[in-house]
Amino acid sequence: MFFCAARWHTGGVTEAQDLNVASGLYVAGRGDGPDDGLHHFSQRNGEWRGIHLARVEELAALARHPTLPVLYGLSGLQRGTVLAWDVSELGVAGEIARVDSGGEIPCDVAVDPSGSILVVANFGFNDIGGTLATWRLDSAGLPLGDPRVTDLGEGSGVVAVNQDRAHPHQIVFHAGRLFVPDYGADRIRSYDIETRSGTLTEREPTIAPPGSAPRHMCFLDERHFVASGELAGAIMRGAVDDASWSVSPGTAHTGPVPGRHPVNYPGDIKLGWAGEGAVAYFANRGYDTVSAFSLDGDALRLIGEVASGTQWPQHLLVTASELLVAGWDTGTVVAIPLENGRPGEPRVLFEVSGAGWLLPS
């Protein structure tokens, strides 16, 4: 299978990512109102209905413990907070932990496959650079003590206003290592992780194209991956410890961007399956589209692009037959049917204020 966004990879691309959303979805609502925070939505008689589980300001990301009924989330536009909930009873989330994230603007959280270590990527804020924070977890999935904080230091990107410092944006466990796309330093960082202590030991990074600002990535096999380059507006195909990249525009659209910023800022990228090849689905935040790229061989071939049905498509989730999209600005979650890998017309499933992250329950 292929994995991205804080999942463990065990081999090549062999089958579709058949996520089971039959029992429902946890949804993060990224706002600071009384109805924002953690939600759970499930289907009843063909209709989606939601429950507001917890009020959380600016809930940015969600992750599940691999073996325990524990859900983790990140909060905060500046100093960050990590929260943990007991979700052993479906539709109920009882808070069991709340700790400092070890940095500014937390943007991704993950648990290693053994369930021993919790890792958070803190993007950083203004003149404060990004950090990685790790905790050992006890037998109940609770973080133990203060985190080990790794300061990633200065950035080396060519876009000074965005890349003056290191800015980690995602956590991917893959092939026994921890990979971190660094938006600020134009590199894919790589770490060995000691699960008994949470200690990270950095290896040589994979250098990304200058000014690309890698944001999210998904592995295709042991070494090869695709990534979104936010500042370059590009989808990129690379390999661990390899300086050569294939780069393609993330959208066929040109000209004025109707979104909240004057340029297109691609964000999430996920993998699906069509016939005998992998397909990358790419969220264009700005043009508000989702594009699909065939990944046969080394090429990046655009095979379809549709309106996402949302504004600012923040997060994607691929099932065997559909692509789900969380639209932050519209506060909607939509489903885009997939036929032989190509996206179709979107339909709105439900509304939730500031929809920014989707996680099967």
Side-chain angles (χ1 to χ4, degrees), residues 127-219:
D127 60 345
I128 301 174
T131 64
L132 298 176
T134 61
W135 292 259
R136 290 191 304 114
L137 296 176
D138 68 12
S139 60
L142 302 181
L144 294 168
D146 295 329
R148 288 179 176 267
V149 177
T150 303
D151 187 341
L152 301 191
E154 300 296 325
S156 61
V158 299
V159 185
V161 68
N162 298 96
Q163 297 185 302
D164 58 326
R165 303 294 298 253
H167 293 301
H169 213 296
Q170 188 195 24
I171 298 161
V172 179
F173 291 105
H174 169 75
R177 292 157 68 179
L178 175 66
F179 291 85
V180 179
D182 188 336
Y183 174 106
D186 280 335
R187 61 190 59 194
I188 306 296
R189 295 181 182 267
S190 172
Y191 299 86
D192 293 321
I193 183 167
E194 171 53 60
T195 57
R196 289 175 296 180
S197 65
T199 301
L200 300 179
T201 302
E202 189 165 12
R203 294 191 177 193
E204 284 296 314
T206 300
I207 305 302
S212 59
R215 178 185 174 98
H216 287 170
M217 65 187 297
C218 294
F219 275 94

Side-chain angles (χ1 to χ4, degrees), residues 153-313:
E154 300 296 325
S156 61
V158 299
V159 185
V161 68
N162 298 96
Q163 297 185 302
D164 58 326
R165 303 294 298 253
H167 293 301
H169 213 296
Q170 188 195 24
I171 298 161
V172 179
F173 291 105
H174 169 75
R177 292 157 68 179
L178 175 66
F179 291 85
V180 179
D182 188 336
Y183 174 106
D186 280 335
R187 61 190 59 194
I188 306 296
R189 295 181 182 267
S190 172
Y191 299 86
D192 293 321
I193 183 167
E194 171 53 60
T195 57
R196 289 175 296 180
S197 65
T199 301
L200 300 179
T201 302
E202 189 165 12
R203 294 191 177 193
E204 284 296 314
T206 300
I207 305 302
S212 59
R215 178 185 174 98
H216 287 170
M217 65 187 297
C218 294
F219 275 94
L220 295 162
D221 55 31
E222 191 76 9
R223 294 183 58 241
H224 297 87
F225 58 83
V226 287
S228 56
E230 182 172 328
L231 295 182
I235 180 173
M236 310 183 297
R237 180 169 181 154
V240 176
D241 304 324
D242 190 333
S244 61
W245 292 74
S246 298
V247 181
S248 175
T251 174
H253 288 263
T254 59
V257 175
R260 66 161 90 160
H261 293 290
V263 294
N264 185 56
Y265 286 126
D268 203 9
I269 184 170
K270 290 293 193 300
L271 294 179
W273 184 258
E276 297 182 355
V279 177
Y281 299 101
F282 197 76
N284 291 292
R285 302 176 307 164
Y287 286 116
D288 295 332
T289 68
V290 173
S291 49
F293 290 83
S294 170
L295 301 177
D296 291 338
D298 293 329
L300 295 165
R301 182 169 60 89
L302 182 67
I303 60 172
E305 183 174 8
V306 298
S308 68
T310 69
Q311 293 176 8
W312 207 256

Side-chain angles (χ1 to χ4, degrees), residues 8-20:
W8 190 263
H9 178 81
T10 55
V13 180
T14 57
E15 58 184 311
Q17 188 178 16
D18 188 8
L19 296 174
N20 179 17

